[in-house]
Amino acid sequence: MSSLLNELAPLKDEFIALRHDLHTHPELGFTEKRTSDIVASKLTEWGYTIERGIGGTGLVATLSNGSSKKIIGLRAEMDALPIVETTGLPWKSAQEGVSHMCGHDGHTTMLLCAAKYLAEKRPFDGTLHLIFQPAEELLCGGSRMIDDGLFDKYPCDLIFAQHNMPGFPSGNFYFHKDAAMASSDTVKITIKGKGGHGAMPQKAKDPVLACAQLVMALQSIVSRNVDPFAPAVVTIGALNVGRAANVIPAEGELLLTVRTMTDEVRKLVLSRISDIATNTALTFECQATIEHENGSPVLVNGNKAIDFARNTAAEIVGADHCHDSPAFMGSEDFAFMLQAHPNGCYWFVGNGTEGCNGTPLHNGGFDFNDANIIPGASLFVGLVEKYLAPSR
């Protein structure tokens, strides 16, 4: 298995070119038609059976070999972000305001590289499902695929996915047991009052004052309601209220992101947000409406699966390139797949520490590190070869 890096190396230039093409033509969640077309075309050419339209623009490719009943699933995401790219690279985004600033172009490429090798060599006995997911950035593409019957149609014994991580050395893999990434909830709070003249505040019900108090009050949740040893974040990312100095507006709006590492803390924080918003609004003779716009659960790795992935990676790149990973307060909707199918895991591959490769995710100056294509693809291949090893 240690030879996989060398065996896949001849595919490097082909898949760097593919990655650059995907990077130049990014597509937002649920609009990944071109990307999905390219993925489907190549997989069909290599002999996979394809079903498209799962969860919108998602697709599943299946390849069976031999007679074993074992089944493994590998997943990558295809969508980009609404961010202006500033890298200036030759393969920079051709679509203004849309770019692959999270590296999903690279994740798709790694899985396609593995797919081609596996189709050509067929070094396994069993069934392989490749899951290409839309709209991960919206934190609902994975859920949408499950709602469309993903695991009913394509059951898996194990499922795996990986993500690049800037700031960590390229070609190194990072693994975390149990809760590895936070839940994510987007909450919209609308404060309705009564508009009026800025010079006569006694005739109005001021939502500006209520919103200002609410911004501060919400910060008490983490400091006063959550156990200090339990990670939690409540961030007010947007406060929209009023447009003129002499006008008291009729309503204001706050947009929040909430991150937690356990279901219990998640429920507590969301409950306290509702209570505090409702009662703060009433204090200022206003009314609060709380809308939970979307959310994804905590990403919890199966410990047996993470051990299996780490041991496989060590056989390919060496144990000195495999590390314990910290948990991250960022979120990933692969969590939905692991929630529905706990026998699986998610790990990180270092994207590098310099230049575009070391720039943080979701930043206009980021770029996926092409040096990771072969190591990432090799680990996918290694998992298939090891789990679906032919009987001797």
Side-chain angles (χ1 to χ4, degrees):
M1 189 166 287
S2 60
S3 64
L4 276 177
L5 292 174
N6 291 331
E7 291 180 32
L8 270 74
L11 298 173
K12 181 178 179 180
D13 290 344
E14 174 186 349
F15 284 93
I16 287 177
L18 173 61
R19 206 281 292 181
H20 290 181
D21 177 74
L22 295 177
H23 188 94
T24 302
H25 301 94
E27 297 169 300
L28 296 175
F30 297 124
T31 71
E32 308 96 336
K33 185 178 185 306
R34 180 183 185 274
T35 305
S36 183
D37 285 346
I38 290 172
V39 170
S41 175
K42 290 188 175 296
L43 291 168
T44 299
E45 176 187 341
W46 300 333
Y48 288 81
T49 300
I50 311 293
E51 181 179 354
R52 303 187 65 178
I54 304 175
T57 44
L59 64 90
V60 175
T62 299
L63 186 67
S64 295
N65 193 55
S67 58
S68 171
K69 301 299 182 182
K70 287 186 174 182
I71 308 171
I72 191 170
L74 307 175
R75 171 270 200 179
E77 66 280 63
M78 302 183 290
D79 58 320
L81 284 157
I83 295 176
V84 175
E85 180 170 355
T86 60
T87 64
L89 293 167
W91 52 88
K92 68 176 187 269
S93 172
Q95 185 172 345
E96 184 66 22
V98 180
S99 55
H100 272 296
M101 295 298 102
C102 202
H104 296 182
D105 52 335
H107 304 162
T108 294
T109 301
M110 288 191 293
L111 188 50
L112 283 174
C113 182
K116 182 173 184 179
Y117 177 89
L118 289 165
E120 289 180 346
K121 304 296 184 180
R122 309 225 172 188
F124 64 94
D125 182 12
T127 297
L128 168 64
H129 294 317
L130 306 181
I131 302 164
F132 289 88
Q133 179 201 308
E136 189 283 323
E137 296 295 354
L138 299 177
L139 293 177
C140 62
S143 177
R144 191 80 63 85
M145 292 191 83
I146 292 169
D147 290 345
D148 275 359
L150 173 63
F151 292 126
D152 296 327
K153 298 177 183 178
Y154 303 100
C156 301
D157 303 329
L158 290 165
I159 55 171
F160 298 101
Q162 61 183 317
H163 201 293
N164 78 92
M165 185 55 67
F168 292 177
S170 176
N172 286 253
F173 293 97
Y174 298 82
F175 304 89
H176 187 93
K177 290 187 175 183
D178 299 315
M181 297 188 75
S183 62
S184 176
D185 293 280
T186 300
V187 179
K188 176 181 175 181
I189 302 174
T190 302
I191 303 295
K192 294 185 178 181
K194 179 182 177 182
H197 197 294
M200 293 176 279
Q202 75 278 10
K203 295 184 178 181
K205 310 295 183 186
D206 191 352
V208 179
L209 185 57
C211 286
Q213 292 289 330
L214 184 54
V215 168
M216 301 305 297
L218 290 171
Q219 297 308 311
S220 71
I221 297 172
V222 174
S223 66
R224 289 296 176 268
N225 297 128
V226 177
D227 187 324
F229 292 98
V233 175
V234 176
T235 293
I236 297 94
L239 172 59
N240 305 309
V241 56
R243 299 187 65 183
N246 63 346
V247 177
I248 295 174
E251 68 178 48
E253 175 187 273
L254 297 88
L255 296 176
L256 288 65
T257 187
V258 179
R259 309 297 172 106
T260 67
M261 293 300 290
T262 68
D263 289 338
E264 292 76 16
V265 174
R266 184 186 187 193
K267 291 175 183 176
L268 168 66
V269 173
L270 291 174
S271 175
R272 290 298 294 139
I273 287 171
S274 180
D275 291 344
I276 290 173
T278 299
N279 290 300
T280 300
L282 288 174
T283 299
F284 297 96
E285 301 181 279
C286 297
Q287 292 183 323
T289 301
I290 299 95
E291 299 175 63
H292 185 261
E293 295 199 328
N294 69 359
S296 63
V298 179
L299 187 149
V300 181
N301 281 321
N303 288 343
K304 288 183 179 179
I306 206 79
D307 284 340
F308 180 68
R310 182 169 185 161
N311 291 338
T312 304
E315 293 178 29
I316 297 169
V317 300
D320 57 333
H321 288 82
C322 298
H323 313 275
D324 292 332
S325 169
F328 292 99
M329 294 307 286
S331 303
E332 233 287 353
D333 84 344
F334 188 61
F336 284 111
M337 295 190 185
L338 289 176
Q339 187 179 61
H341 196 300
N343 293 325
C345 70
Y346 185 88
W347 65 88
F348 301 97
V349 55
N351 200 58
T353 59
E354 303 294 331
C356 294
N357 303 140
T359 299
L361 300 170
H362 293 211
N363 181 292
F366 166 85
D367 188 44
F368 178 85
N369 194 335
D370 290 326
N372 279 333
I373 293 174
I374 297 304
S378 296
L379 182 45
F380 275 147
V381 170
L383 292 168
V384 174
E385 286 192 356
K386 196 168 182 178
Y387 184 68
L388 300 182
S391 300
R392 300 294 184 184

